[in-house]
Amino acid sequence: MRRFTLRTGIRWKITLAIAAVGALTAVALSLVVHSAARVSMLESARDSELERVQYIARTPDAGRKPIWGAKVNDPELPAELREKARSGRRGTYIQESPKRAPEVWAAVPLGNGQVLSMHHQFRESANMVRDLDRALVIGSLAVVIGGSALGVLIGGQISSRLRKAAAAAQRVAHGDPEVRVRDAVGGVVRDETDDLARAVDAMADALQQRLEAERRVTADIAHELRTPVTGLLTAAELLPPGRPTELVRDRAQAMRALVEDVLEVARLDGASERAELQDVALGEFVTRRVTALMPEASVQVVADEIVSTDPRRLERILGNLLANAARYGQPPVQVDIEGRVVRVRDHGPGFPEALLREGPSRFRTGSTDRAGVGHGLGLTIAEGQARVLGARLTFRNVAAPGGADTEGAAAGAVAVLWLPEHAPTATGSFPIIQLPG
């Protein structure tokens, strides 16, 4: 069962967090203010009503004709307050009603069992409470909106810095050693983003140093092996004819080819190679080279175009792609040229998943098992030479008829060389190739 994941930006997470905290704080404060204001107004109304009824009780005609709407033995007087007054105590009472404003009662004993009382509706004070509630609602909304705007601003700044850091780290991952995440983030604010940028830069520097050390060691070993291998091959030529001599010569030639490939990979990794550009008709050039390298392969020129490229490096790429198709694929091998795009397809089991996912890797062969021959340098060299040309080399498999669930899902491997519209500059830089889709 596939899990559903919701992806949101840090900007909106911060905004929602600030808005939620602001809303909760505003609601809590509004409830406290509303409750405190209502209690204060009710207490004030009770004290005022009690003072008035006490004043009326001190007048001479309080028991016969009370003033200001006061009543003696009012039948509507709440029973609890009536019993309290008859026991000789004064008191107040709040009578709540769901359909009208609360009523404030006050009562005092007059003697002879009589009770003087008066009441007043809490209408004006209730209107003040409603006005206060309205002001609190408006204030709460303003707090939430202001907090959300602040969250968008703060979250946007953090999100922008993280996106710049991610873009710079992506460029580092693609092999650009000059990029520094700290410089890409920029800004005068120092926060955790700067710590992250410095850590990524330190990691990239350490990784670059290790790769450079590995490249130098590889180049040194290959260079040191070049002389004895050449001597071995020369000595093998002096051996008398025979089957053992042929085996020695074959192994010596294979070792020499491996040393040359390792040296070429080291040079390509050093990013010091430069293309020697010439204008060539791509369709005619590829047709001629494929015919010489693999006569049994079919070539189709869909659209020819004049390109500025290095013929020697382009031939090297074609030779490695055809060799890979012949070694790990199955016939027929097809080569299509369409404008600046060259496709090489075989009808074998396809590229391994690791190669499709991570790209070519040295000493990893194109076979899906360990029984395959070769050293895995062919596609690595082809990809490195494509970089020198400012081109892009991609790999994919052709799905078998019947869908991906069919036995042996791949029905061939396709390597596609995308030559750039503009040739690389003298410094080796080149425009980014936009792939379709």
Side-chain angles (χ1 to χ4, degrees), residues 62-323:
R64 292 181 294 104
K65 192 177 180 180
I67 59 176
W68 297 346
K71 296 181 180 180
V72 178
N73 297 330
D74 189 352
E76 297 181 2
L77 181 66
E80 180 180 345
L81 184 57
R82 179 185 295 111
E83 294 299 326
K84 185 175 182 179
R86 285 179 176 176
S87 64
R89 293 178 297 168
R90 60 186 181 182
T92 58
Y93 184 83
I94 303 296
Q95 189 173 23
E96 300 282 355
S97 176
K99 295 183 179 180
R100 57 182 181 177
E103 286 188 296
V104 180
W105 290 84
V108 295
L110 292 178
N112 301 324
Q114 291 183 323
V115 176
L116 178 66
S117 65
M118 63 182 306
H119 68 281
H120 174 72
Q121 276 198 333
F122 192 67
R123 187 176 291 109
E124 295 80 5
S125 299
N127 293 336
M128 293 177 61
V129 171
R130 281 195 296 270
D131 294 339
L132 177 63
D133 291 341
R134 189 178 300 110
L136 290 173
V137 170
I138 295 174
S140 299
L141 291 176
V143 168
V144 173
I145 295 174
S148 300
L150 182 62
V152 170
L153 180 62
I154 297 175
Q157 291 179 346
I158 297 177
S159 177
S160 176
R161 290 166 64 83
L162 290 177
R163 289 182 186 277
K164 290 178 181 178
Q170 193 72 16
R171 290 174 59 189
V172 172
H174 288 164
D176 191 344
E178 302 300 325
V179 176
R180 288 296 175 266
V181 179
R182 179 65 190 86
D183 296 336
V185 171
V188 296
V189 179
R190 296 294 180 264
D191 54 17
E192 289 80 0
T193 309
D194 295 270
D195 298 336
L196 174 63
R198 281 192 290 270
V200 174
D201 287 340
M203 180 185 66
D205 291 338
L207 182 60
Q208 187 66 28
Q209 291 174 2
R210 293 188 62 180
L211 292 176
E212 182 63 22
E214 177 186 343
R215 187 191 67 81
R216 285 199 301 267
V217 169
T218 303
D220 292 343
I221 293 175
H223 190 272
E224 292 298 327
L225 287 175
R226 195 175 191 179
T227 301
V229 169
T230 301
L232 178 62
L233 188 60
T234 303
E237 296 292 337
L238 302 177
L239 294 176
R243 181 60 180 168
T245 300
E246 293 179 2
L247 293 176
V248 171
R249 289 176 180 172
D250 289 344
R251 293 300 90 198
Q253 290 174 351
M255 184 175 294
R256 181 177 181 179
L258 174 59
V259 171
E260 294 295 336
D261 286 347
V262 171
L263 278 173
E264 186 172 359
V265 169
R267 288 195 301 269
L268 292 172
D269 286 346
S272 59
E273 295 286 291
R274 296 292 180 265
E276 298 178 2
L277 303 176
Q278 298 180 22
D279 290 338
V280 298
L282 186 61
E284 179 186 353
F285 178 86
V286 173
T287 301
R288 203 165 53 243
R289 294 300 187 272
V290 172
T291 302
L293 295 171
M294 185 181 286
E296 66 274 15
S298 63
V299 183
Q300 180 181 7
V301 181
V302 179
D304 200 357
E305 189 169 338
I306 303 297
V307 298
S308 181
T309 187
D310 189 329
R312 180 180 63 85
R313 298 182 189 278
L314 181 56
E315 182 176 3
R316 178 69 160 148
I317 296 172
L318 288 173
N320 284 12
L321 295 180
L322 292 173

Side-chain angles (χ1 to χ4, degrees), residues 3-121:
R3 291 186 59 187
F4 174 76
T5 57
L6 180 63
R7 186 179 183 273
T8 57
I10 191 172
R11 169 189 298 183
W12 303 115
K13 291 179 180 177
I14 293 176
T15 301
L16 290 176
I18 293 178
V21 172
L24 291 175
T25 304
V27 169
L29 289 177
S30 297
L31 292 176
V32 170
V33 171
H34 169 84
S35 177
R38 190 173 186 276
V39 170
S40 176
M41 290 181 182
L42 285 174
E43 290 297 326
S44 177
R46 293 171 74 159
D47 293 342
S48 176
E49 205 73 8
L50 185 58
E51 289 179 0
R52 293 174 65 188
V53 77
Q54 286 179 329
Y55 176 79
I56 297 172
R58 289 195 294 267
T59 61
D61 296 332
R64 292 181 294 104
K65 192 177 180 180
I67 59 176
W68 297 346
K71 296 181 180 180
V72 178
N73 297 330
D74 189 352
E76 297 181 2
L77 181 66
E80 180 180 345
L81 184 57
R82 179 185 295 111
E83 294 299 326
K84 185 175 182 179
R86 285 179 176 176
S87 64
R89 293 178 297 168
R90 60 186 181 182
T92 58
Y93 184 83
I94 303 296
Q95 189 173 23
E96 300 282 355
S97 176
K99 295 183 179 180
R100 57 182 181 177
E103 286 188 296
V104 180
W105 290 84
V108 295
L110 292 178
N112 301 324
Q114 291 183 323
V115 176
L116 178 66
S117 65
M118 63 182 306
H119 68 281
H120 174 72
Q121 276 198 333

